Amino acid sequence: MKSGFFPFCFLVLFRTAYTLWPYPWHAQCEINWTFAISCSSVKDNIVDQIEGWTGPENCQHGGQKCLYQLIYANETYIEATHTTPVNKYIDDMTFDLLDNTICYVKGFSQSRLWYALLDFGTNYCNLQNIIEGSGLDRAPGYTEDTRDKICTMYSSADCEVY
């Protein structure tokens, strides 16, 4: 009887913590976008923006719209990194594109630090800064879908800072 009590307590505590903790268990963000333009155009805009913000120039007066690096891109997948200008933390980013009369994009950014838990919305901003910088947030049919449970600190993110 006693041997089953401790696993039960652990399970109850774990489930309670998961329910009460409003964010993912690691600093990361998933965003789903739609665009009423071709995925080829979306891909070109994202890649151009990443390549346009590779140097430190945009971060000289604050913010983090700099230090992006394109790793790989094809018609349906983009892989990049973003390095934070002050502490030089690296976040891995991916964009998965699905063309089906409208373009569906799943963006994902995650801290490389295994112990990163809270990020003040940095991973959200890594992705959103690229979309806004490229002008895709003004594209026909633009929608964005995310929330705190899949995007660490999304509701308090300040992308002018991060």
Side-chain angles (χ1 to χ4, degrees):
M1 177 115 162
K2 281 187 174 183
S3 65
F5 180 72
F6 291 109
F8 175 76
C9 288
F10 175 78
L11 182 63
V12 169
L13 287 173
F14 179 79
R15 182 65 183 152
T16 302
Y18 178 78
T19 303
L20 296 176
W21 183 251
Y23 308 119
W25 287 99
H26 184 70
Q28 65 187 39
C29 183
E30 177 183 319
I31 305 174
N32 293 293
W33 295 284
T34 59
F35 304 94
I37 58 176
S38 73
C39 276
S40 177
S41 179
V42 171
K43 189 247 337 164
D44 290 344
N45 278 279
I46 291 171
V47 168
D48 289 348
Q49 191 60 58
I50 290 168
E51 291 178 334
W53 283 348
T54 58
E57 298 79 28
N58 276 0
C59 292
Q60 292 173 350
H61 303 292
Q64 296 199 27
K65 297 174 183 172
C66 62
L67 302 177
Y68 285 86
Q69 181 181 1
L70 181 66
I71 305 299
Y72 176 80
N74 66 23
E75 291 304 310
T76 61
Y77 181 79
I78 301 165
E79 185 176 338
T81 63
H82 178 252
T83 303
T84 60
V86 176
N87 294 314
K88 305 298 184 209
Y89 297 136
I90 299 173
D91 301 323
D92 295 307
M93 303 167 46
T94 59
F95 298 85
D96 289 295
L97 296 87
L98 175 64
D99 208 343
N100 188 10
T101 65
I102 62 172
C103 183
Y104 297 94
V105 180
K106 177 182 174 184
F108 187 76
S109 178
Q110 177 175 347
S111 173
R112 280 192 184 172
L113 294 175
W114 65 269
Y115 56 84
L117 196 57
L118 300 176
D119 68 356
F120 302 99
T122 297
N123 282 289
Y124 171 76
C125 295
N126 288 345
L127 300 165
Q128 190 60 23
N129 285 341
I130 292 296
I131 297 301
E132 288 181 4
S134 68
L136 286 169
D137 61 322
R138 296 180 303 279
Y142 167 80
T143 65
E144 174 189 281
D145 179 39
T146 195
R147 59 193 177 283
D148 281 332
K149 200 66 172 171
I150 61 172
C151 187
T152 306
M153 301 184 79
Y154 157 71
S155 62
S156 60
D158 180 355
C159 294
E160 292 306 313
V161 176
Y162 300 106

